[in-house]
Amino acid sequence: AQSVTQLGSHVSVSEGALVLLRCNYSSSVPPYLFWYVQYPNQGLQLLLKYTSAATLVKGINGFEAEFKKSETSFHLTKPSAHMSDAAEYFCAVIVAGGGADGLTFGKGTHLIIQP
Amino acid sequence: EAGVTQSPTHLIKTRGQQATLRCSPISGHTSVYWYQQALGLGLQFLLWYDEGEERNRGNFPPRFSGRQFPNYSSELNVNALELEDSALYLCASSLGSQTYNEQFFGPGTRLTVL
């Protein structure tokens, strides 16, 4: 079975600073990895996904993530934080052929942007 | 193109009652997933329907059930409600059942059990 660990339930950065949200996964087979964002009282919106093509994945709103198999990581970054980035971020994994289990999510990281 | 829609937005029930939640997928999507987002427990996979059939369920008791209709919309039923069923229930749809297909999420139904 696969699992996801997100380090830090809360991350606080200043506006304009680098955003780094950490995600490590555990999977016995090659995974597909996703980052979703959730704004208050809303559903999830896909930021980006890794599906075994390029290891550096660019997403919406200036976010990107790099798949590192040796580190079993898929950290999310953004060079310069905006106030509008304040939200809950979820890393998720699903294994090839494992659609039956749905997405397995991390616990989420609440991103706080300081003015 | 309309996204995934869910109804109702909010639902308040008392313990022991039944709740019915509805989901309409994006046009052309045949797979529907249900997730529970409970405080402190995170997002957990509940059920997966594809082409009208229940394909798999997560680690939830049988009182959580549902179905998918011929138009691919779906219904989640929760019987004998318990206080811990209070959560945001999210529905997602995808184009077919391939693993790499992106799941598009609806806004959710917030169920409160008193």
Side-chain angles (χ1 to χ4, degrees), chain A residues 29-114:
Chain A
V29 296
Y32 295 138
L33 294 156
F34 304 81
W35 274 101
Y36 283 89
V37 60
Q38 186 179 33
Y39 297 100
N41 300 313
Q42 293 187 27
L44 302 176
Q45 181 183 12
L46 182 70
L47 280 175
L48 48 80
K49 62 181 178 181
Y50 166 76
T51 56
S52 74
T55 56
L56 182 62
V57 181
K58 294 187 184 298
I60 62 171
N61 301 338
F63 285 94
E64 63 180 39
E66 186 172 7
F67 173 71
K68 291 187 176 180
K69 185 178 178 181
S70 61
E71 299 177 8
T72 61
S73 69
F74 190 57
H75 302 330
L76 181 70
T77 60
K78 182 174 180 177
S80 177
H82 295 162
M83 295 300 292
S84 59
D85 294 327
E88 191 83 15
Y89 291 79
F90 293 93
C91 182
V93 64
I94 196 167
V95 297
D101 294 330
L103 289 161
T104 298
F105 287 90
K107 295 288 188 187
T109 297
H110 185 64
L111 178 62
I112 301 162
I113 310 296
Q114 306 279 6

Side-chain angles (χ1 to χ4, degrees), chain B residues 24-75:
Chain B
S24 292
I26 291 172
S27 177
H29 286 193
T30 61
S31 270
V32 170
Y33 297 82
W34 287 95
Y35 294 87
Q36 182 196 64
Q37 187 176 24
L39 202 61
L41 294 178
L43 279 152
Q44 294 182 284
F45 165 67
L46 247 173
L47 287 160
W48 172 38
Y49 293 95
D50 183 62
E51 296 285 357
E53 300 285 330
E54 180 180 305
R55 300 298 182 181
N56 202 15
R57 62 185 296 124
N59 188 25
F60 282 85
R63 58 190 186 83
F64 286 83
S65 65
R67 52 182 171 166
Q68 187 177 34
F69 300 99
N71 66 354
Y72 303 113
S73 66
S74 178
E75 194 173 88

